[in-house]
Amino acid sequence: MLMRTDPFRELDRLAQQLTGVTGTWSRPSAMPMDAYREGEEYVIALDLPGVAKDAIDIDVERNMLTVRAERRPVAKADDVQMELSERPLGVFSRQLVLADTLDTEHITADYEAGVLTLRIPIAERAKPRKIAIGGEADHQQISG
């Protein structure tokens, strides 16, 4: 139901770890994600620890879902001297192509404990349904 759109994501992640360079608006870093089906909906969980809720942007255009977020530096007093800084700052983004069988009109989003959870219902037209089989009497009635 979901397709990855960036085949170089793992290479970018490795380069980021080696160089220490974080995402920018023109070249954002990827965010870790889980995607699974739960009953009649797909669930996408994205890790965004330390990101303020107002710094997250979610868009859907046709079947392309885009999540962008920015982790900004924490304001520090003038007398604070940073001893260690390992948490990445910058821009994070993820794009997913959603299948036509998903209802993009009814996506919901929750953000709790640094995890953005998107729920995408399966479209009614994609759900299995039974087809009744008519007998000969039904055909004779229609043609006669």
Side-chain angles (χ1 to χ4, degrees):
M1 289 290 187
L2 303 173
M3 293 178 11
R4 284 190 183 180
T5 58
D6 186 2
F8 300 104
R9 186 175 74 85
E10 288 301 313
L11 185 59
D12 287 343
R13 184 187 61 76
L14 181 61
Q16 178 184 344
Q17 284 179 339
L18 294 173
T19 63
V21 176
T22 58
T24 64
W25 283 104
S26 61
R27 187 94 173 123
S29 298
M31 57 190 85
M33 167 186 103
D34 288 336
Y36 53 92
R37 183 172 175 167
E38 185 177 88
E40 295 298 316
E41 61 188 6
Y42 267 87
V43 180
I44 299 170
L46 299 143
D47 283 349
L48 294 170
V51 174
K53 186 177 179 179
D54 64 347
I56 301 171
D57 185 41
I58 307 166
D59 290 315
V60 65
E61 184 176 341
R62 292 192 181 107
N63 287 3
M64 179 67 73
L65 174 72
T66 304
V67 178
R68 281 183 143 0
E70 183 176 11
R71 184 179 301 131
R72 300 174 181 126
V74 177
K76 298 176 184 72
D78 292 336
D79 62 344
V80 172
Q81 181 177 343
M82 183 63 78
E83 296 292 330
L84 179 65
S85 180
E86 293 181 345
R87 297 172 47 210
L89 301 175
V91 180
F92 302 86
S93 179
R94 197 66 185 253
Q95 284 191 315
L96 300 167
V97 176
L98 303 177
D100 291 334
T101 57
L102 298 177
D103 184 357
T104 59
E105 297 293 322
H106 295 97
I107 297 174
T108 61
D110 294 304
Y111 187 59
E112 186 177 331
V115 178
L116 176 66
T117 303
L118 304 172
R119 295 184 175 278
I120 310 167
I122 295 173
E124 286 298 320
R125 69 181 180 277
K127 293 180 182 175
R129 62 188 188 284
K130 295 287 184 185
I131 306 296
I133 301 173
E136 283 187 33
D138 294 332
H139 290 289
Q140 291 172 359
Q141 189 177 26
I142 293 172
S143 60

